[in-house]
Amino acid sequence: FNYFETIKPQLLRHIPLFKNYYTKTKQSQKMFLNALLDFFVENTSVRLYLVKIIHFMFNDCDFLSDECIIEWYEKKKNSSENPILNK
């Protein structure tokens, strides 16, 4: 079962909504990334798709900025509250 291929059409369908609410500032993009991370922390069986979705949102949808992703990742990887990125 490929979770990413299942969720990809849903992501594409919601890109206009995401862009309307989450691309105006770096802070709003980081809020989106935090919400995405929270989802994957709660759903351990699909954690490996977090990176694929972030890559898709950056590369294919032109939704997230590389600068924002890097800043968010650097902050989260050193955080003890994060069971996924700090490994």
Side-chain angles (χ1 to χ4, degrees), residues 21-78:
Y21 288 103
Y22 293 110
T23 58
K24 296 182 181 12
T25 65
K26 278 188 195 179
Q27 182 180 2
S28 66
Q29 288 187 33
K30 289 177 186 176
M31 288 172 54
F32 176 83
L33 289 166
N34 284 330
L36 194 61
L37 180 62
D38 287 345
F39 172 80
F40 284 98
V41 166
E42 302 255 335
N43 296 282
T44 58
S45 63
V46 293
R47 279 188 184 171
L48 65 110
Y49 295 103
L50 174 63
V51 174
K52 285 185 177 193
I53 290 174
I54 292 173
H55 181 264
F56 174 73
M57 299 297 275
F58 166 73
N59 201 39
D60 297 343
C61 299
D62 193 32
F63 171 69
L64 296 169
S65 74
D66 55 347
E67 184 180 335
C68 182
I69 294 168
I70 291 167
E71 287 176 13
W72 172 80
Y73 175 77
E74 289 297 324
K75 182 178 178 187
K76 290 295 182 178
K77 80 173 185 178
N78 297 320

Side-chain angles (χ1 to χ4, degrees), residues 18 35 77 80:
F18 295 150
K77 80 173 185 178
S80 62

Side-chain angles (χ1 to χ4, degrees), residues 1-17:
F1 179 72
N2 188 338
Y3 182 78
F4 179 71
E5 290 302 319
T6 302
I7 198 170
K8 187 176 172 180
Q10 298 303 315
L11 291 170
L12 286 171
R13 187 170 66 132
H14 290 92
I15 288 297
L17 177 69

